[in-house]
Short mmCIF file of all heavy atoms in Angstrom, two decimals:
data_model
loop_
_atom_site.label_atom_id
_atom_site.label_comp_id
_atom_site.label_asym_id
_atom_site.label_seq_id
_atom_site.Cartn_x
_atom_site.Cartn_y
_atom_site.Cartn_z
N LEU A 51 8.91 34.17 13.79
CA LEU A 51 8.59 34.56 12.38
C LEU A 51 7.20 34.08 12.02
O LEU A 51 6.42 34.77 11.39
CB LEU A 51 9.64 33.89 11.48
CG LEU A 51 11.09 34.40 11.57
CD1 LEU A 51 11.95 33.66 10.63
CD2 LEU A 51 11.13 35.91 11.27
N LYS A 54 4.61 36.19 13.74
CA LYS A 54 4.56 37.51 13.12
C LYS A 54 3.72 37.45 11.85
O LYS A 54 2.93 38.41 11.56
CB LYS A 54 5.96 37.96 12.82
CG LYS A 54 6.04 39.34 12.18
CD LYS A 54 7.53 39.74 11.88
CE LYS A 54 7.61 41.07 11.15
NZ LYS A 54 9.02 41.42 10.82
N GLU A 55 3.92 36.44 11.02
CA GLU A 55 3.15 36.27 9.82
C GLU A 55 1.66 36.00 10.06
O GLU A 55 0.76 36.56 9.36
CB GLU A 55 3.70 35.13 8.97
CG GLU A 55 5.05 35.37 8.33
CD GLU A 55 5.01 36.43 7.24
OE1 GLU A 55 3.98 36.56 6.56
OE2 GLU A 55 6.02 37.18 7.09
N GLU A 107 6.51 30.76 4.25
CA GLU A 107 5.58 31.57 3.44
C GLU A 107 4.30 30.79 3.12
O GLU A 107 3.19 31.34 3.29
CB GLU A 107 6.29 32.04 2.13
CG GLU A 107 7.41 33.02 2.34
CD GLU A 107 8.70 32.45 2.95
OE1 GLU A 107 8.82 31.18 2.98
OE2 GLU A 107 9.54 33.22 3.39
N ILE A 156 12.80 41.46 -6.47
CA ILE A 156 12.50 40.79 -5.20
C ILE A 156 13.38 41.36 -4.08
O ILE A 156 14.51 41.78 -4.34
CB ILE A 156 12.66 39.27 -5.35
CG1 ILE A 156 12.04 38.50 -4.16
CG2 ILE A 156 14.20 38.91 -5.50
CD1 ILE A 156 11.97 36.98 -4.39
N THR A 157 12.90 41.33 -2.87
CA THR A 157 13.65 41.83 -1.70
C THR A 157 13.67 40.71 -0.62
O THR A 157 12.68 40.34 -0.07
CB THR A 157 13.00 43.07 -1.09
OG1 THR A 157 12.98 44.11 -2.11
CG2 THR A 157 13.85 43.56 0.08
N PHE A 158 14.90 40.18 -0.45
CA PHE A 158 15.10 39.15 0.57
C PHE A 158 15.66 39.76 1.88
O PHE A 158 16.34 40.82 1.82
CB PHE A 158 16.17 38.11 0.10
CG PHE A 158 15.64 37.15 -0.90
CD1 PHE A 158 16.26 37.03 -2.16
CD2 PHE A 158 14.59 36.30 -0.64
CE1 PHE A 158 15.81 36.21 -3.15
CE2 PHE A 158 14.12 35.37 -1.61
CZ PHE A 158 14.76 35.32 -2.85
N ASN A 159 15.40 39.16 2.99
CA ASN A 159 16.18 39.38 4.14
C ASN A 159 16.82 38.01 4.53
O ASN A 159 16.59 37.04 3.83
CB ASN A 159 15.37 40.01 5.31
CG ASN A 159 14.18 39.07 5.70
OD1 ASN A 159 14.28 37.85 5.61
ND2 ASN A 159 13.09 39.68 6.19
N ALA A 160 17.58 37.96 5.58
CA ALA A 160 18.29 36.75 5.92
C ALA A 160 17.32 35.55 6.12
O ALA A 160 17.58 34.42 5.65
CB ALA A 160 19.11 36.94 7.17
N ASP A 161 16.16 35.80 6.76
CA ASP A 161 15.21 34.74 7.05
C ASP A 161 14.52 34.27 5.78
O ASP A 161 14.36 33.05 5.56
CB ASP A 161 14.21 35.20 8.09
CG ASP A 161 14.83 35.42 9.44
OD1 ASP A 161 15.63 34.46 9.86
OD2 ASP A 161 14.54 36.41 10.10
N SER A 162 14.06 35.19 4.91
CA SER A 162 13.35 34.74 3.71
C SER A 162 14.27 34.13 2.73
O SER A 162 13.91 33.19 2.02
CB SER A 162 12.65 35.95 3.10
OG SER A 162 13.59 36.99 2.78
N TYR A 163 15.57 34.59 2.70
CA TYR A 163 16.56 33.95 1.85
C TYR A 163 16.83 32.49 2.25
O TYR A 163 16.85 31.56 1.43
CB TYR A 163 17.83 34.74 1.81
CG TYR A 163 18.88 34.16 0.90
CD1 TYR A 163 18.79 34.25 -0.49
CD2 TYR A 163 20.02 33.49 1.43
CE1 TYR A 163 19.76 33.74 -1.36
CE2 TYR A 163 20.98 32.95 0.58
CZ TYR A 163 20.80 33.10 -0.81
OH TYR A 163 21.81 32.55 -1.62
N ASN A 164 16.97 32.26 3.56
CA ASN A 164 17.19 30.90 4.05
C ASN A 164 15.95 30.03 3.79
O ASN A 164 16.10 28.89 3.48
CB ASN A 164 17.41 30.99 5.57
CG ASN A 164 18.82 31.45 5.94
OD1 ASN A 164 19.71 31.38 5.08
ND2 ASN A 164 19.03 32.03 7.09
N SER A 165 14.75 30.63 3.89
CA SER A 165 13.55 29.83 3.57
C SER A 165 13.55 29.46 2.09
O SER A 165 13.09 28.35 1.75
CB SER A 165 12.31 30.74 3.93
OG SER A 165 11.14 30.04 3.61
N PHE A 166 13.96 30.37 1.23
CA PHE A 166 14.08 30.10 -0.21
C PHE A 166 15.00 28.92 -0.50
O PHE A 166 14.64 27.97 -1.28
CB PHE A 166 14.60 31.33 -0.93
CG PHE A 166 14.65 31.28 -2.43
CD1 PHE A 166 13.54 31.46 -3.17
CD2 PHE A 166 15.84 31.05 -3.03
CE1 PHE A 166 13.56 31.44 -4.55
CE2 PHE A 166 15.90 30.98 -4.46
CZ PHE A 166 14.77 31.20 -5.20
N SER A 272 22.56 35.59 -3.62
CA SER A 272 22.86 36.05 -2.22
C SER A 272 21.62 36.75 -1.74
O SER A 272 20.60 36.95 -2.47
CB SER A 272 24.06 36.97 -2.25
OG SER A 272 23.70 38.23 -2.76
N VAL A 273 21.66 37.20 -0.50
CA VAL A 273 20.55 37.85 0.10
C VAL A 273 20.26 39.19 -0.60
O VAL A 273 19.13 39.75 -0.53
CB VAL A 273 20.77 38.05 1.64
CG1 VAL A 273 21.87 39.04 1.84
CG2 VAL A 273 19.51 38.42 2.34
N ASN A 274 21.24 39.69 -1.29
CA ASN A 274 21.12 40.99 -1.99
C ASN A 274 20.60 40.87 -3.42
O ASN A 274 20.43 41.85 -4.14
CB ASN A 274 22.43 41.75 -2.01
CG ASN A 274 22.94 42.05 -0.59
OD1 ASN A 274 22.17 42.50 0.26
ND2 ASN A 274 24.24 41.76 -0.33
N TYR A 304 7.38 38.65 -2.17
CA TYR A 304 8.52 39.59 -1.84
C TYR A 304 8.88 40.46 -2.99
O TYR A 304 9.82 41.26 -2.88
CB TYR A 304 9.69 38.77 -1.40
CG TYR A 304 9.49 37.96 -0.09
CD1 TYR A 304 9.73 36.60 -0.10
CD2 TYR A 304 9.04 38.56 1.04
CE1 TYR A 304 9.55 35.83 1.02
CE2 TYR A 304 8.86 37.82 2.19
CZ TYR A 304 9.10 36.46 2.19
OH TYR A 304 8.89 35.74 3.34
#
Side-chain angles (χ1 to χ4, degrees):
L51 295 177
K54 180 181 177 182
E55 290 291 328
E107 291 72 17
I156 194 168
T157 301
F158 286 120
N159 59 32
D161 291 314
S162 59
Y163 181 73
N164 287 335
S165 180
F166 183 80
S272 72
V273 69
N274 299 315
Y304 298 124

